[in-house]
């Protein structure tokens, strides 16, 4: 059940009514351009606060630095969206079907599920919280805590030593865990402590969370968090 929205969230949802989520993709428009033309620019016409945007393979993001959160909007490819394969002179469907959620395409919903399931391992605070904010014409809109992406973080967020890195690498090697970023994982080891770090690594493996490259991890203050944890299974 969705909670009641605060005034700022209502303002954002109202501005999103000005956007078109039905045509984020077409043959003349790449993912970033389509999100800019169909969502970001129409949104800015109504919303007068500070906002920027970014896009990834499965979702677009409206960033509100003064509000400490972002709005995530999942991309939906349908059967009508086909791409040409020049190597075998044929077309193939770009429809998302590998997301680990009921409809198979909503990678933002995957994050809400992963976040909720993290409670079982007591590692929810290792994730930037994602929640469903509401729907615009039946299209889902999500909110996530604002984090500083790893690539943009400065050295002040790091608190580990070389010895911590060696412990993390050894632990991952012993348990055959993916040591996807030794620096960030070492910060998590120091910040959360051994027990929670071990639980986090187990959760990542048990729930097949992948694609944790440097753009999908970050920090909220000094707290290391996973930012995009929906994986990519198409």
């Amino acid at each position: 059940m969705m909670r009641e929205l605060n005034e700022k969230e209502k303002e954002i949802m109202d501005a999103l009514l000005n956007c078109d989520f039905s045509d984020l993709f077409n043959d003349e428009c790449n993912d970033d351009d389509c999100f800019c033309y169909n969502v970001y620019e129409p949104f800015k016409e109504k919303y007068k606060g500070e906002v920027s945007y970014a896009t990834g393979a499965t979702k677009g993001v409206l960033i509100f630095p003064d509000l400490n959160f972002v709005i995530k909007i999942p991309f939906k490819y349908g059967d009508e969206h086909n791409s040409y394969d020049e190597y075998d002179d044929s077309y193939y469907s770009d429809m998302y079907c590998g997301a680990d959620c009921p409809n198979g395409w909503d990678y933002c919903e995957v994050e809400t599920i992963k976040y909720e399931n993290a409670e079982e391992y007591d590692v929810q605070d290792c994730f930037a919280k994602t929640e469903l904010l509401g729907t615009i014409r039946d299209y889902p809109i999500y909110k996530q805590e604002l984090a500083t992406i790893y690539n943009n973080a400065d050295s002040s967020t790091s608190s580990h030593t070389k010895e911590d890195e060696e412990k993390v690498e050894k632990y991952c090697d012993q348990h055959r865990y993916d040591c996807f970023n030794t620096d960030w994982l070492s910060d998590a080891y120091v910040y959360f402590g051994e027990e929670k770090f071990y639980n986090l690594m187990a959760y990542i493996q048990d729930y097949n969370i992948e694609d944790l490259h440097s753009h999908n991890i970050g920090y909220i203050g000094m707290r290391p968090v996973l930012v995009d944890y929906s994986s990519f299974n198409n």
Side-chain angles (χ1 to χ4, degrees), residues 29-231:
C29 186
N30 64 38
D31 296 355
D32 188 81
D33 287 343
C34 283
F35 187 79
C36 181
Y37 298 152
N38 292 290
V39 178
Y40 177 66
E41 291 185 353
F43 178 81
K44 282 184 63 179
E45 291 177 2
K46 290 194 66 175
Y47 183 78
K48 303 309 179 183
E50 184 179 359
V51 60
S52 59
Y53 82 98
T55 58
T58 62
K59 54 186 76 76
V61 182
L62 296 173
I63 304 165
F64 303 88
D66 57 334
L67 301 179
N68 292 319
F69 65 77
V70 305
I71 293 297
K72 285 190 167 185
I73 301 171
F75 292 159
K76 181 182 180 181
Y77 283 142
D79 289 326
E80 73 283 354
H81 184 91
N82 296 312
S83 292
Y84 177 68
D85 189 335
E86 63 185 47
Y87 295 103
D88 64 5
D89 190 29
S90 65
Y91 286 86
Y92 61 92
S93 173
D94 274 344
M95 183 178 183
Y96 285 156
C97 57
D100 190 15
C101 64
N103 64 29
W105 61 265
D106 186 346
Y107 278 87
C108 292
E109 182 181 14
V110 174
E111 288 184 2
T112 67
I113 295 170
K114 301 287 188 187
Y115 181 81
E116 291 172 0
N117 289 342
E119 185 175 1
E120 177 186 350
Y121 288 66
D122 191 30
V123 293
Q124 280 183 306
D125 50 348
C126 303
F127 296 76
K129 180 180 179 180
T130 303
E131 61 177 324
L132 178 65
L133 200 60
T135 59
I136 302 293
R137 293 183 291 276
D138 295 324
Y139 203 92
I141 307 296
Y142 296 83
K143 175 185 176 182
Q144 185 183 73
E145 295 176 280
L146 177 65
T148 300
I149 301 303
Y150 175 84
N151 283 351
N152 299 328
D154 58 44
S155 59
S156 65
T157 59
S158 185
S159 58
H160 68 270
T161 65
K162 185 65 176 178
E163 182 181 0
D164 295 323
E165 291 185 7
E166 292 171 354
K167 289 180 181 178
V168 165
E169 290 174 343
K170 182 178 179 180
Y171 183 79
C172 290
D173 184 61
Q174 288 176 337
H175 293 80
R176 298 183 178 179
Y177 291 147
D178 178 16
C179 194
F180 51 87
N181 186 304
T182 302
D183 185 52
W184 183 92
L185 287 170
S186 299
D187 285 338
Y189 175 83
V190 171
Y191 186 91
F192 295 112
E194 285 189 359
E195 183 178 356
K196 181 160 289 191
F197 174 77
Y198 297 158
N199 289 346
L200 173 63
M201 297 307 294
Y203 181 70
I204 288 172
Q205 177 159 290
D206 292 349
Y207 279 81
N208 300 312
I209 300 176
E210 300 173 341
D211 198 33
L212 295 175
H213 53 73
S214 58
H215 292 288
N216 289 345
I217 57 179
Y219 301 86
I220 298 177
M222 293 289 291
R223 175 165 62 101
V225 291
L226 303 184
V227 177
D228 188 329
Y229 40 94
S230 58
S231 303

